[in-house]
Amino acid sequence: MRLTFIFLLIVLLCSNTIGQAPTLSISGSNSACEATFLTAISNSSNISWSTGDFTPSIVVTETGWYSATATNLFGSTSDSIHVEIGNYLSNNFLGNDTILCGNITLEINDVSGPVLWSTGIADSILSISQSGNISVIVIDNGCLSYDTINISIDEPIEFSLQDVSLCTNNTVTIEGPTNVDSYLWSTGEQTSTIIADSSGKYFLTITKGTCIQEFQVYVDLESGVPNYAIPSAFTPNNDNQNDCFSIVGDVTIIIFKIFNRYGN
């Protein structure tokens, strides 16, 4: 036992690290597209990583903090590094093939590099008005990603309802467009036409494919009743009775003619 102690004491006296914890630094890139190596540089061979590894080097495939600890008889030293794995855009980042109504917009957000669409547009936002395949190349953190999506566009119905004003009819038929999938009127009816029997606004919601559109029409069945009075005869003989002829009411006279009993 005494010889062992003396030998250990001699070794420690000859060492330049008497009473010192090991040195340690982590070497490696803190950003990569898919993976990177991290190496613990130390004068101790006793290395442990936060990943559970005990080798001098490890492979990192996920973004996050990584730390290593070197240990010897006199203590331990730790170091850490944050690694950003730049595979920001996974496959299918544009989403699944889809069917949409009318003009649509595709947008790529939060990328550090350029964006190039198959249409030739170099912008993060792309407006689309025609069906077909759309591809995009994105460079983010030095990493290239690529995706394609097929978009089918349903065209909105070109249709309008005209306001209605009638004088004597107490009902009016309102017709919606043809060749659509469904109708829903504000009256609750689900047919292509309805009969309006009162004045007011009527709303129609139609569905065709992915397009949902709303139309409205105003029906006036009351204010159109004429409000005027026309005398049937007059006697212009200066007896102060029915000497004058006039039309009374909300009318505009375009042509006005007076005939005698003989048609002259």
Side-chain angles (χ1 to χ4, degrees):
M1 175 67 71
R2 183 177 181 182
L3 292 176
T4 302
F5 175 76
I6 293 174
F7 174 77
L8 179 59
L9 179 61
I10 293 173
V11 171
L12 293 177
L13 290 174
C14 295
S15 173
N16 292 326
T17 59
I18 295 177
Q20 295 181 4
T23 60
L24 174 67
S25 63
I26 296 178
S27 174
S29 175
N30 58 4
S31 66
C33 290
E34 296 182 358
T36 188
F37 281 99
L38 297 180
T39 301
I41 301 175
S42 175
N43 57 6
S44 172
S45 61
N46 188 5
I47 305 296
S48 63
W49 291 89
S50 56
T51 59
D53 296 300
F54 297 94
T55 56
S57 298
I58 61 172
V59 177
V60 172
T61 59
E62 296 181 358
T63 296
W65 282 96
Y66 295 85
S67 62
T69 300
T71 305
N72 65 12
L73 291 175
F74 302 102
S76 61
T77 303
S78 297
D79 192 15
S80 62
I81 185 174
H82 185 269
V83 178
E84 188 78 25
I85 300 300
N87 193 14
Y88 161 78
L89 298 173
S90 62
N91 293 332
N92 199 37
F93 59 84
L94 284 180
N96 298 324
D97 295 345
T98 187
I99 302 175
L100 299 170
C101 178
N103 296 343
I104 64 169
T105 298
L106 295 179
E107 184 171 1
I108 304 295
N109 293 313
D110 301 326
V111 293
S112 61
V115 176
L116 178 62
W117 300 91
S118 55
T119 59
I121 301 297
D123 196 289
S124 60
I125 299 176
L126 178 68
S127 297
I128 302 172
S129 58
Q130 295 181 344
S131 300
N133 289 326
I134 298 295
S135 301
V136 65
I137 296 175
V138 176
I139 298 178
D140 185 57
N141 292 329
C143 303
L144 186 147
S145 298
Y146 176 86
D147 197 13
T148 299
I149 186 175
N150 181 269
I151 295 179
S152 297
I153 295 180
D154 288 334
E155 294 295 335
I157 296 293
E158 294 185 4
F159 177 77
S160 63
L161 289 171
Q162 302 299 321
D163 292 344
V164 178
S165 180
L166 298 178
C167 292
T168 57
N169 290 22
N170 55 9
T171 63
V172 63
T173 299
I174 308 175
E175 297 183 0
T178 59
N179 300 322
V180 300
D181 298 334
S182 66
Y183 304 86
L184 179 60
W185 295 87
S186 53
T187 60
E189 296 170 89
Q190 301 182 25
T191 55
S192 61
T193 63
I194 63 170
I195 297 177
D197 57 5
S198 62
S199 298
K201 286 185 177 180
Y202 292 81
F203 297 90
L204 168 63
T205 301
I206 64 167
T207 302
K208 183 177 182 181
T210 59
C211 294
I212 300 176
Q213 297 171 257
E214 184 175 277
F215 306 92
Q216 72 175 35
V217 59
Y218 182 77
V219 175
D220 187 354
L221 300 178
E222 300 172 358
S223 63
V225 177
N227 181 22
Y228 60 90
I230 302 177
S232 59
F234 76 110
T235 55
N237 55 6
N238 295 321
D239 62 357
N240 295 323
Q241 294 183 4
N242 296 327
D243 286 331
C244 298
F245 183 93
S246 63
I247 301 175
V248 179
D250 299 326
V251 297
T252 299
I253 300 176
I254 300 177
I255 298 176
F256 181 74
K257 294 182 179 181
I258 298 176
F259 298 87
N260 61 21
R261 69 179 65 183
Y262 303 109
N264 297 321

